[in-house]
Amino acid sequence: GLAATLTLTACGSDSGSTGSGDSGGSNNELAFIQGVAGDQFYITMECGVKAEAEKLGMEVDVQGPQKFDPTLQKPIVDSVVASKPAAMLIAPTDTSAMEAPLKQAASAGIKVGLVDTTVNDPSFAVTQVSSDNEGGGAEAFKAIKELNPSGGKVLVISTDPGVSTTDARTKGFEDAAKADSAFTYLGVQYSHNDPSTAAKIITAALSKDPDIVGVFATNLFSAAGTSTGVKQAGKAEQVKIVGFDAGPDQISALKDGTVQALIAQDPYQIGVDGVQQVSAALKGESTTKEIQTGFHVITADNVDGEGAQYAYKS
Ligand code: T6T
């Protein structure tokens, strides 16, 4: 009826359904396991996964843990392995803890593709697709330097150590900050992907170092909490915030001047590439072991123009 046909999905009108299931037999089932459910980055990736899966005749089952946490993600992997899909795309939540369960999935004959994050030894995977995270961290420092040409104290607020993406972003920022004598690098603090913890971290950091000039928040939830904390401290003028990711809240924060720059990833393309690679592996074709997707800097200057296209879906 009308209600069903008018159901809106994040991906738009043509991506609510997945493959028809008649083109690959049982060899067409793809499990997509997100880093965390409800995250606009993974929602956008899901749209890319579903669109490409539909083209290639694959059926997609999407699951994600309630928190970005290997103790919650591992049981999902184990149950997916038991259900024996042909392929799995996953953003592992920890470089160590998720390695053995995923190796086991590959040993069970499932074609495993790592999307976004990776593990310490990904040799079992048919592909790894991610942004240039270290480069993006360096770019974040460049943006902070442009906003504070005379330098000063800078801080990183990240998620948890052991997350490949945010660790790489932190490294990229840290190396660039330490190499610039005008800046004092105050180090990284971890918010456990919780905005209210990120807000508490920046509040405490500002009371210890009231002259902080810049913060790099390494993902959506770190950035959300950082902007709340800086705003509440009444320091939005002084403290320049650069955040990784470009969800609707980050775009709003950019427009209202709380955040000065966003490093937007291309999660849709990560999903598309991931599906293409596992599909190739299923057909016995060669795969690309590592694929790096780009990022785009969004500022007040381009947010209403070219930058708008890089905003994530919600
Ligand atoms: O930044 C993305 C993703 O790349 C990262 O691995 C985890 O956090 C996000 O999903 C954003 O919340």
Side-chain angles (χ1 to χ4, degrees), residues 39 41-42 68 116-117 133 163 165-166 169 193 218-221 244-245 265:
D39 174 332
F41 173 84
Y42 295 115
F68 196 96
D116 178 45
T117 43
N133 288 294
V163 178
T165 50
T166 51
R169 292 167 202 167
N193 219 26
T218 67
N219 83 335
L220 273 182
F221 302 101
F244 230 82
D245 296 310
Q265 306 186 70

